[in-house]
Each structure stands twice: as C-alpha cells, then as structure tokens.
Amino acid sequence: MHGDEAREIHTIDRLTSPSRIYEAFEAFGFGPSSLLGQNFLIDRNTQEALAASLKISEGTRVVEIGPGLGHLTRVLVEREHQTLAIEKDTRLAQTLHARLSGPDRLVVWNRDILDIGTEELQAWSGGQPVVILGNLPYYCSTRILARVFEDWLGLWDRCGFLLQEEVADRIVAGPGSKLYGRLSLLTQVFSTPVKARRLPPHLFVPAPDVNSAWCIFQRRAEIPDVSPRQVSSLSGICFGERRKTLANNLAREFGREKAQAMLEQAGIDGRLRAEQVPVDGFLKLIKTLG
Ligand code: SAM
C-alpha cells in the first residue's frame, strides 16, 4: 500500500462499510481488538441521532470514552464541541487526530479511562459541567459506570452511553423486577436514566453477539443528601444474597440488633427482599447510618 492510498483509507469519511473498515485495518497491520471491546458503530445516521439525542448546548465540553476509529468523535467536532477523547488503544489513539483531519477542538488522551483522576477531568472541564458519552467497551462498562457515578458525579450534567441491552435493562429496572439491583439504585438515585434506543448487532463492525441500547442519564437537579459510595456500599450489602430477606442481609454486615434498629427507623419491613424495596426506602436506610 502506498502512502497516499493508505492516507485515503485512514480518513474517517471513508470508513463507512465493513469492507472498508477491514481494508483500513489491513493497511494498519492489525485487527480490531476483541479484548478491548472494539465494535465500531459505523452507521452515520445512528451516530448523528445519538449525538443529537443528548441536546448538548453550545459551549458545553464533551468527554468521549473510547473513540475508537473516531466515528462518533467526528460528529462531536463537526457540531463544534470541544471534545476530549480518551482511548486506551495506543494504535488507534495515535492516529485519531489525523483520521479526523486534525480539528483544533479535539484533544486525545491515550489512557485507560479507569485510571483517569477526577482532578484531571475537572481541570479539563474548566469547572463547567460536561457531557460524558461513549460507545462503551462492554467488558468494563459497569466499572466505567461506577466511576462516572461514584467519582465524577460533580463533573457532568448529562451522559449518554451505548451499553449491552442487558445492562441497560438492569439500569432502568424498578422494584419488583429480577433485574432491579445495585446498578439501578446507583444510577436512579443520582440521575433519571432512560433507555432511549435499541441498536441491533448489524450496525456494528465487527457485529457483537448481543443487542445494544443507548441510555441517557440526566443528573438530578436535586441530589439526595447521600454519597454515591454510601449507595453502592449499602446496595452491595442489601443485594448481597438476593433471595435472603433484607433483615438477614443487613444482619450479616451490622449484626441482628443494629439491623433491626435500622429497619425500624427507616420504617421498612425486614421480611422484604431488597428487590422489593423502592429507591426511597434505600435512601431512608442509608440515613439511619448517620
Ligand atoms: N466509539 C467507537 C465507535 O463507536 O465506533 C468505538 C467504540 S468500541 C465499542 C470501544 C472503544 O473503547 C474501543 O476503541 C476501545 O479500544 C476503547 N477502550 C477499551 N477499553 C478502554 C479503556 N479502559 N479506556 C479507554 N478506552 C477503552
């Protein structure tokens, strides 16, 4: 492959079909990494629709997790958003800027998102709330969600994530559902998650084995007076053994007497299982811990 030809193939405008993606990878000399969860969303209309659904206002800075080849990134910079793209794969990160023809508004960090410090993101955001988004690598999507809520809650006001549909269903599940659990609680206490759109495997290259879903998280205007870590920790205890009653799960951690006192103070029947308790009940329980 000669220089000009290779450069042409590397340009994002051309990476619009599975055959062109694979041609480009052949020119790169490596393939998409399944270990890094690389499933590229190549449909232009879908990329535009996902970005539009976040209604990002002018001047708002955007953080993209896992830009990959840059399909979504291109839409963001074309919409004139100052964009920070954080990509773990060095081979893709190093060429991202060139693939998008070097836009000024794009900053690329070749880093693992899970290693990014809160202060670093804060410094980049300039103290204004950002939008965080991404077609997340599925192998670590729940760990990324935990960081976004537990460590970066003060930094954003809206997020949009493409997730495995099964994870999206756990996020939006309500009490009484088998899917309702730790992820539902953490995300619902601090935001209003919406499963906005379902995406079938054929929209991605390579096609994943599962359906995906685009979830939008609007940070609540009134954040309850509890910390995300308290929510994660208590829900871990309460959902520890899903088939056990709340009283038994709490007793394992706090002892029978304290567990009983907590339940009484919160006005919750200890014979219930955690999956039957609404978000509000968990907040009352956390507050009993002082
Ligand atoms: N945004 C691109 C798209 O929609 O076509 C790629 C999405 S692909 C599902 C996930 C991307 O996240 C890949 O580019 C992968 O290399 C990157 N990635 C995987 N693990 C990561 C991590 N821990 N930190 C940052 N990026 C990561």
Side-chain angles (χ1 to χ4, degrees), residues 12 29 36 45 57 102 112-113 122 138 158 165-167 169 183 190 194 199 202 205 233 244-245 248 252 270 275 277:
I12 194 71
L36 288 175
N45 291 337
S57 50
D112 184 328
I113 188 68
Q122 207 158 22
Y138 293 166
R158 199 168 305 141
E165 187 172 28
E166 175 261 329
V167 174
D169 288 339
L183 209 46
F190 300 104
V194 174
L199 275 72
H202 71 80
V205 177
S233 148
K244 285 199 170 166
T245 63
N248 281 339
R252 254 185 326 126
E275 68 192 34
V277 178

Side-chain angles (χ1 to χ4, degrees), residues 12 21 33 35-42 47 50 64-73 85-93 109-116 133-140 143-144 162 203-205:
I12 194 71
I21 300 273
S33 161
L35 284 181
L36 288 175
Q38 290 177 356
N39 301 97
F40 304 103
L41 176 67
I42 61 164
Q47 295 152 15
L50 300 190
E64 186 189 5
I65 301 173
L69 291 167
H71 288 93
L72 259 175
T73 327
I86 303 173
E87 172 58 59
K88 182 171 178 172
D89 188 334
T90 304
R91 304 165 308 177
L92 295 185
W109 289 358
N110 177 203
R111 304 268 302 275
D112 184 328
I113 188 68
L114 297 170
D115 294 339
I116 301 285
L133 63 91
N135 171 10
L136 296 188
Y138 293 166
Y139 76 96
C140 64
R143 277 185 290 154
I144 294 175
L162 204 46
L203 292 177
F204 302 84
V205 177

Side-chain angles (χ1 to χ4, degrees), residues 146-147 149-151 186 190 226-234:
R147 288 234 62 195
F149 279 86
E150 290 176 1
D151 299 328
L186 182 63
F190 300 104
V226 295
S227 76
R229 288 205 181 266
Q230 283 176 310
V231 173
S232 286
S233 148
L234 190 84

